[in-house]
Amino acid sequence: MKGYLPIAKEYLTQKEILELNPLVLAFVGDSVQQLMVRTKLSCTSTAKAGELHKLQSAQIKASAQAKYMDDIMSALSEEEIAVFKRARNTHMNTMAKHASVADYKKASGFEAVIGYLYLLGENERLEELFDIIEKAQ
């Protein structure tokens, strides 16, 4: 899936990123993951749009993201683990309808790590993590 990641015109510094609310990182990470999954499915499947949406939804839901976090945890750097923990431990006003509280918090941490790496411009690192996830499936 190399080369499919959108390139931001301007990246933030690590200091600027760490000053963001961790749920803002999760907001960005959710979008990045959705685009990566949709792009991959579009390039590798002959399914129609409705079926692609179902396939994408299965990979984006909180329980799947929590599993992905388990898959990549041992490969994360100290900084990435710190971002994950900040997001996981942040008070949330909403919860997913179809996920446990633990999965929802872990999924938010996963999304925050993805958002953190994207905003840093660490596209190769994102590809590494998604390769680990893909191999674990």
Side-chain angles (χ1 to χ4, degrees), residues 24-103:
V24 171
L25 295 177
F27 174 76
V28 172
D30 178 63
S31 297
V32 171
Q33 184 195 13
Q34 281 196 39
L35 184 57
M36 291 178 75
V37 168
R38 286 177 178 217
T39 300
K40 181 178 180 194
L41 288 172
S42 297
C43 293
T44 61
S45 174
T46 58
K48 294 184 179 178
E51 183 62 25
L52 289 173
H53 177 71
K54 288 179 189 175
L55 293 169
Q56 175 255 317
S57 294
Q59 294 182 47
I60 302 296
K61 65 184 180 180
S63 59
Q65 290 175 327
K67 184 195 175 311
Y68 300 156
M69 195 65 229
D70 291 339
D71 294 341
I72 65 171
M73 184 61 91
S74 64
L76 295 182
S77 69
E78 288 182 28
E79 293 84 12
E80 293 162 349
I81 291 171
V83 169
F84 163 74
K85 288 180 177 179
R86 274 184 62 220
R88 180 196 63 193
N89 296 335
T90 298
H91 175 72
M92 299 173 197
N93 292 324
T94 61
M95 288 293 156
K97 295 177 195 172
H98 305 289
S100 69
V101 172
D103 277 356

